[in-house]
Amino acid sequence: MGFKIMGEEKVAVHISKELYEKARKYVEESEGEFKSVDELVEFVLKEVLSEEVEEKVFTKEEEEKIKERLRALGYI
Amino acid sequence: MVSKPHGGKLVNRVVTGRRREYLLEEAKELRKVSVSESLAADVSNIAHGVYSPLEGFMVYNDYYHVLYDMRLANDVPWTIPIVLDVSREEILGLKEGDDIAISFKNTMLAIMEIEDIYKWDKREFCKKVFKTVDVRHPGVSKTMHRKDLLIGGSIYLLNDVPEPFERYRLWPVETRVLFEAKRWRTIAGFQTRNVPHRGHEYVQKAALTFVDGLFVNPLVGWKKTRDYKDEVIVRAYEALIENYYPKDSVVFSVLRMEMRYAGPREAILHAIVRKNFGCTHFIVGRDHAGVGDFYGPYEAWDIFNEFPDLGIIPMFIREAFYCMKCGGFVNEKICPHEEEYRVKVSGTKLRKMILSKEKPPEYMMRPEVVEVILNFERPFVE
Ligand SMILES: [Zn+2]
């Protein structure tokens, strides 16, 4: 998946100096895969958030309806 | 946790409520394209997210990339084009941007926005998808008889085709809720188009040993003559699961989808579809989705190497046989004995026995399953 940071609005985030140094070292050793700590942070956050925020295509109400059908059919 | 839908988002193109009423009225005014049973199944599968991330029939750009790179234009793995073929006459006067209605028999299925109209080279399609242009291959002969133009675009589903096995029809949105309700974190999908014999049972249970749940999902619909009828498959599985599977470890549902017999490419499609149902693992058989000797026995395993980003884990389980020395069902990898001790359960042998109303022995097929099948006057497609 492409990695865009150009042209997007930016905000500042604070992280510990220690973590920053570790990240900076990682970027140096990445052999050009990441150009800056900002890029690394953005990449990692994106990965984590895409795992967590799975877009549900149904509401709680619809979920209950689905469960009702599954119960009626003996699946649960 | 159930698997993420392919391409990231579970597609839902089902229109409901007042909007549906409105579109049903509109559909009456539109040009109508009448489709085959297998295309009607594709329409439903697209709309209910079985083919996520597809939102409609493929436009040329996706068609081209799938044919040559086995990926959609946006780089998501996809191996068999999902296309809607029409004749020149059917779409005479229509252009890109127009809407058409898609119907099957007397059912108005969907409205499609035509985004693309293009010609296809059917021979080239066969060469790529089936790896042959030999018309003895059922997929090739079917493709060569299809119409000359393809139309691509998003669909809006208004009605599903009535399903004779409604009680066993689950859509991805339902299996996902179901798997979560069962608190399964790992689920192995099993593809089939056959009644279960002991070899199938072995493979399924070998997989189940490593995961929380098993999802048995036979394809129903278009089949070759001499295949088992859909109802026979459903009833046979009911008997097997009832008598030989732990109650909370298996979910059984049917999927109406055409068998294409495209071997390795179809194995990937079958895996993607089960990923959309929420499976984390997929059992890939020897000569999966093959026919005759068009594909090598392990081609369908090798192709998975080309898709490290598929998002579902293939489980390559060897074919099982009964070994008299081992005293049970085993496979090549775990049995050291010679051929003379091994009894292979062959589908062809079983079919012959069933045709002559003979009871297969218990090491080939469970007696409860045999009974169900023999109760059918005519268990095969004629
Ligand atoms: Zn043995």
Side-chain angles (χ1 to χ4, degrees):
Chain A
M1 202 164 279
F3 182 67
K4 278 183 243 145
I5 45 171
M6 306 260 287
E8 283 172 340
E9 204 188 332
K10 301 286 174 205
V11 292
V13 180
H14 291 84
I15 58 170
S16 73
K17 183 97 200 298
E18 192 190 344
L19 193 58
Y20 177 81
E21 284 306 325
K22 272 192 190 161
R24 198 178 53 78
K25 208 167 156 227
Y26 186 91
V27 168
E28 270 172 29
E29 286 166 2
S30 78
E31 294 178 337
E33 192 188 349
F34 298 103
K35 288 178 190 64
S36 64
V37 172
D38 301 64
E39 217 179 89
L40 173 66
V41 167
E42 191 146 348
F43 174 78
V44 171
L45 278 178
K46 242 186 206 169
E47 286 287 294
V48 171
L49 294 177
S50 74
E51 286 280 312
E52 291 305 316
V53 193
E54 196 195 311
E55 228 179 300
K56 286 254 154 112
V57 285
F58 45 84
T59 61
K60 261 268 157 254
E61 216 170 83
E62 285 164 329
E63 184 173 340
E64 230 4 88
K65 251 193 167 162
I66 291 170
K67 282 189 172 160
E68 240 166 66
R69 174 168 195 255
L70 292 171
R71 256 179 238 121
L73 295 176
Y75 279 105
I76 36 181
Chain B
M1 194 163 38
V2 299
S3 151
K4 259 199 272 182
H6 198 54
K9 190 183 137 204
L10 196 64
V11 167
N12 178 9
R13 307 291 301 177
V14 184
V15 186
T16 55
R18 300 232 341 231
R19 179 134 188 269
R20 176 173 169 271
E21 302 299 320
Y22 173 79
L23 289 181
L24 274 170
E25 277 308 307
E26 194 188 285
K28 287 183 192 157
E29 311 295 317
L30 295 174
R31 184 79 62 82
K32 209 161 78 182
V33 173
S34 189
V35 297
S36 66
E37 192 180 348
S38 54
L39 275 171
D42 281 342
V43 170
S44 283
N45 288 339
I46 292 167
H48 290 278
V50 175
Y51 296 163
S52 296
L54 304 192
E55 299 191 330
F57 287 99
M58 284 185 186
V59 295
Y60 180 73
N61 201 15
D62 282 321
Y63 171 82
Y64 181 89
H65 280 278
V66 168
L67 208 56
Y68 292 100
D69 307 332
M70 299 199 283
R71 285 172 183 274
L72 297 169
N74 67 2
D75 210 33
V76 169
W78 199 280
T79 46
I80 298 183
I82 304 294
V83 290
L84 174 54
D85 57 310
V86 290
S87 66
R88 259 161 235 287
E89 297 71 47
E90 277 175 304
I91 56 157
L92 197 69
L94 290 179
K95 56 186 186 315
E96 282 141 26
D98 289 341
D99 289 346
I100 54 151
I102 303 175
S103 69
F104 172 65
K105 291 183 180 163
N106 292 321
T107 308
M108 180 64 72
L109 296 180
I111 289 180
M112 180 173 131
E113 290 174 353
I114 304 177
E115 285 162 46
D116 208 356
I117 302 174
Y118 56 104
K119 268 174 47 178
W120 61 323
D121 181 340
K122 290 182 251 179
R123 265 180 79 87
E124 183 70 5
F125 177 100
C126 292
K127 243 192 239 170
K128 289 288 160 193
V129 173
F130 303 114
K131 298 174 108 177
T132 176
V133 290
D134 188 334
V135 289
R136 282 170 300 180
H137 185 294
V140 172
S141 73
K142 189 151 195 263
T143 302
M144 296 312 286
H145 283 103
R146 291 182 76 173
K147 297 164 187 166
D148 289 334
L149 292 177
L150 298 179
I151 53 175
S154 306
I155 60 157
Y156 298 87
L157 186 86
L158 305 173
N159 285 303
D160 273 308
V161 182
E163 173 56 66
F165 303 106
E166 186 58 35
R167 188 238 166 286
Y168 285 116
R169 172 159 73 179
L170 298 181
W171 295 117
V173 73
E174 293 171 312
T175 50
R176 289 172 167 272
V177 169
L178 176 57
F179 297 159
E180 289 208 2
K182 287 181 172 292
R183 298 182 182 279
W184 288 353
R185 284 168 310 123
T186 49
I187 304 110
F190 184 80
Q191 144 75 33
T192 184
R193 55 178 201 267
N194 251 316
V195 296
H197 59 55
R198 294 292 298 276
H200 299 125
E201 183 183 337
Y202 172 91
V203 167
Q204 291 170 13
K205 288 183 172 174
L208 186 52
T209 309
F210 297 99
V211 293
D212 296 334
L214 175 72
F215 178 51
V216 177
N217 191 216
L219 297 191
V220 294
W222 185 75
K223 286 206 188 77
K224 299 194 281 27
T225 47
R226 296 173 61 233
D227 280 349
Y228 288 93
K229 284 179 185 164
D230 293 334
E231 202 190 345
V232 180
I233 296 170
V234 170
R235 302 294 164 231
Y237 263 104
E238 280 175 345
L240 180 71
I241 291 168
E242 168 78 25
N243 290 287
Y244 296 95
Y245 284 67
K247 203 172 173 297
D248 263 328
S249 63
V250 55
V251 164
F252 176 82
S253 84
V254 300
L255 173 60
R256 195 154 287 270
M257 177 176 164
E258 182 188 353
M259 262 313 290
R260 289 158 168 93
Y261 302 98
R265 280 203 187 220
E266 192 163 12
I268 297 290
L269 178 64
H270 285 167
I272 290 171
V273 162
R274 278 28 179 256
K275 177 185 172 189
N276 284 328
F277 278 103
C279 294
T280 53
H281 294 66
F282 180 67
I283 301 165
V284 192
R286 184 182 174 278
D287 195 22
H288 189 108
V291 60
D293 51 7
F294 284 101
Y295 311 103
Y298 298 107
E299 256 184 84
W301 292 10
D302 295 339
I303 193 173
F304 280 83
N305 292 331
E306 295 175 50
F307 299 95
D309 55 342
L310 196 61
I312 181 164
I313 302 165
M315 297 177 98
F316 305 124
I317 302 176
R318 276 157 206 278
E319 231 181 356
F321 48 83
Y322 184 84
C323 173
M324 289 182 277
K325 272 235 162 151
C326 290
F329 266 83
V330 287
N331 64 51
E332 237 169 51
K333 223 177 145 190
I334 55 177
C335 161
H337 304 116
E338 286 98 64
E339 280 299 314
E340 55 181 300
Y341 299 107
R342 296 174 171 185
V343 191
K344 295 218 165 77
V345 186
S346 118
T348 320
K349 215 190 298 178
L350 277 170
R351 186 193 314 271
K352 267 195 196 136
M353 298 179 90
I354 287 163
L355 265 175
S356 57
K357 300 280 171 198
E358 189 187 334
K359 272 189 189 170
E362 206 166 333
Y363 67 82
M364 284 193 182
M365 194 176 254
R366 298 288 191 184
E368 293 85 349
V369 174
V370 172
E371 200 193 318
V372 163
I373 300 173
L374 289 180
N375 273 339
F376 282 89
E377 189 74 36
R378 295 171 149 167
F380 301 104
V381 178
E382 284 154 38

